[in-house]
Amino acid sequence: MGQSIHLPRSSRAVFYLLSLIFGLVTLVGVGLNLTYRPELPHRSVNAVYYWKTVFDPGKAELDFIESHDVGRIYLRMFDIVANSGAMPPEDPVVPNATLRFPAVEDTGYWTSRPALAKADYVPTVYITVEALRAMEQESALWAAKIVERVCNMVSYNFIPNVDEFQLDCDWTESTEQAFFDLCESVRSELVARDKNYRLSSTIRLHQLAKPVPPVDFGVLMVYNTGNFADPDAVNSILDTEDVKPYLSNLSGYRLPLDVAYPLYTWQLLFRDRRFAGLLRDVDLTDPADFEPAGENRHKALREVVTGRTIIRKGDIVRTEKSDYKSISSIKRIIDRHIASPNYSMSLYHLDPGAFSSFTHDEIDSIYICRR
């Protein structure tokens, strides 16, 4: 039989007070969804996203990784999209744009490339909102399939240094619970497979005002900040005025965050002031085809065929790019207000066409944290 412990009245008061405080902290922690697990440390390193369909980094990419001491590479493995033409018993969602590793035959591929061998890899799966809605009633089933596919790809292609898994989704208020359920199911599936991985997710700026997803870490995506379909927008990739309103929620956000900044450029096609598609590497300098039509805009003077797209006479092509001045301006604000004590900078994405317009010192400057 155990003996009862009798505390002096003053000691009992202190004990009850401490118990009350502990209980309140526990309740607050649950309410705020504090999911950080200290047993899974998250190194502060220079990071980059790899967002292509073929993994075969060339000399420029390898030099970038080496010269900027990149220690983490987020690999987009595949997308999960709604199977719009599906009829029972076909799956309502399907993987799309799966990453291929044509040059990888064994572990020698990685060890023969020191820049790649030393980095950590984070398999990343992009999920469309439409697919998320289609999966919401069976999150455990689809989590198992997603995790199995990723694990098979990691194993088959000998991807080294994997200890994190990331879900990328622009979830909204109506799909919030579906995404959170999927995160919980993915975590359970990783545990069932004895994968002691950290689970992370991307965080869009508008999500800073929402509840925290049940993951260990987030990456704040500071790009695509405007409405690209707006014909009057100047730069929807990154605009300081678009970003500032969201940053009031940054210091109180209850999830450790890394931050990702853009390096890319794109061309947007508009027809009768309506968005008509994305273009790639269209030469706008030929005066027979295009004429300037305002800031970062060109007007088609005749029909131009580019790939599978037909640019018609009168169409407007708006060229948007990431620029160092805008990134630096926003980064100074974020560095001052982010609550995470130990965080990384990520760049989107690893492509010579994206980073070639930045100098070496500019890239290094983006990677440096300045409180």
Side-chain angles (χ1 to χ4, degrees):
M1 299 284 295
Q3 289 184 317
S4 300
I5 298 176
H6 298 282
L7 297 174
R9 181 174 299 178
S10 58
S11 299
R12 278 183 286 171
V14 172
F15 175 78
Y16 292 142
L17 179 61
L18 290 175
S19 298
L20 177 61
I21 292 173
F22 179 79
L24 288 173
V25 169
T26 301
L27 287 174
V28 170
V30 171
L32 293 175
N33 197 7
L34 300 179
T35 57
Y36 176 63
R37 293 185 293 166
E39 76 275 12
L40 298 178
H42 187 64
R43 292 194 304 133
S44 177
V45 298
N46 296 343
V48 70
Y49 277 81
Y50 191 93
W51 215 260
K52 300 180 181 180
T53 56
V54 178
F55 184 80
D56 191 17
K59 184 178 185 305
E61 291 97 325
L62 294 175
D63 287 346
F64 182 94
I65 294 170
E66 187 70 39
S67 64
H68 296 292
D69 194 27
V70 172
R72 182 179 300 127
I73 300 176
Y74 292 90
L75 283 180
R76 188 204 62 84
M77 307 299 277
F78 51 86
D79 302 340
I80 295 293
V81 301
N83 190 1
S84 56
M87 294 291 290
E90 294 183 55
D91 289 339
V93 298
V94 292
N96 184 55
T98 298
L99 182 63
R100 294 186 294 113
F101 298 78
V104 178
E105 296 180 355
D106 53 36
T107 55
Y109 172 86
W110 304 92
T111 56
S112 64
R113 295 162 175 80
L116 297 181
K118 69 179 183 180
D120 293 336
Y121 290 87
V122 182
T124 302
V125 175
Y126 173 69
I127 301 167
T128 68
V129 173
E130 294 76 17
L132 192 60
R133 290 194 179 100
M135 294 187 293
E136 64 180 338
Q137 300 303 320
E138 297 181 298
S139 62
L141 170 66
W142 296 110
K145 292 187 176 185
I146 290 170
V147 171
E148 180 180 22
R149 185 179 178 85
V150 168
C151 289
N152 287 342
M153 291 178 66
V154 168
S155 176
Y156 185 79
N157 295 290
F158 307 98
I159 302 175
N161 310 327
V162 176
D163 58 10
E164 184 175 337
F165 184 94
Q166 185 170 101
L167 296 173
D168 177 19
C169 182
D170 189 6
W171 50 270
T172 59
E173 186 173 356
S174 65
T175 53
E176 174 187 297
Q177 191 58 53
F179 181 67
F180 287 14
D181 289 345
L182 183 64
C183 290
E184 294 283 14
S185 296
V186 166
R187 187 192 296 281
S188 297
E189 186 64 24
L190 290 171
V191 171
R193 289 175 172 270
D194 200 25
K195 301 290 186 182
N196 192 32
Y197 290 170
R198 294 180 296 267
L199 179 62
S200 64
S201 74
T202 55
I203 303 294
R204 302 318 199 265
L205 286 166
H206 70 88
Q207 294 167 349
L208 287 174
K210 303 297 182 182
V212 173
V215 296
D216 301 308
F217 297 90
V219 179
L220 182 64
M221 316 304 272
V222 189
Y223 53 83
N224 290 4
T225 60
N227 180 8
F228 66 85
D230 180 359
D232 297 317
V234 176
N235 191 342
S236 63
I237 294 177
L238 189 65
D239 188 296
T240 305
E241 296 307 312
D242 290 334
V243 174
K244 283 181 178 178
Y246 296 101
L247 298 185
S248 61
N249 299 304
L250 183 59
S251 61
Y253 195 68
R254 301 293 181 170
L255 184 71
L257 289 176
D258 290 340
V259 186
Y261 296 102
L263 299 182
Y264 61 92
T265 297
W266 62 17
Q267 295 170 322
L268 306 173
L269 178 64
F270 290 87
R271 181 170 300 144
D272 298 326
R273 292 183 56 81
R274 293 185 178 182
F275 176 69
L278 280 171
L279 302 174
R280 182 178 178 85
D281 300 329
V282 175
D283 183 4
L284 303 173
T285 62
D286 189 339
D289 292 337
F290 298 95
E291 67 176 4
E295 185 180 0
N296 69 336
R297 287 164 166 79
H298 287 79
K299 181 178 180 180
L301 299 176
R302 61 183 182 183
E303 185 176 284
V304 177
V305 179
T306 173
R308 298 182 179 180
T309 302
I310 299 176
I311 302 174
R312 296 176 182 170
K313 181 179 179 179
D315 286 355
I316 298 295
V317 178
R318 186 173 79 216
T319 302
E320 299 182 350
K321 61 178 61 178
S322 313
D323 66 275
Y324 176 69
K325 182 179 179 181
S326 296
I327 294 174
S328 296
S329 175
I330 294 169
K331 183 176 179 297
R332 282 194 295 271
I333 301 172
I334 290 177
D335 283 353
R336 289 197 304 267
H337 291 92
I338 192 168
S340 305
N342 184 33
Y343 65 101
S344 301
M345 306 297 175
S346 298
L347 297 177
Y348 181 92
H349 66 120
L350 186 63
D351 179 76
F355 59 70
S356 61
S357 59
F358 292 79
T359 69
H360 183 280
D361 289 344
E362 286 173 343
I363 295 294
D364 276 351
S365 179
I366 296 172
Y367 273 135
I368 295 173
C369 172
R370 293 185 176 89
R371 289 287 188 175

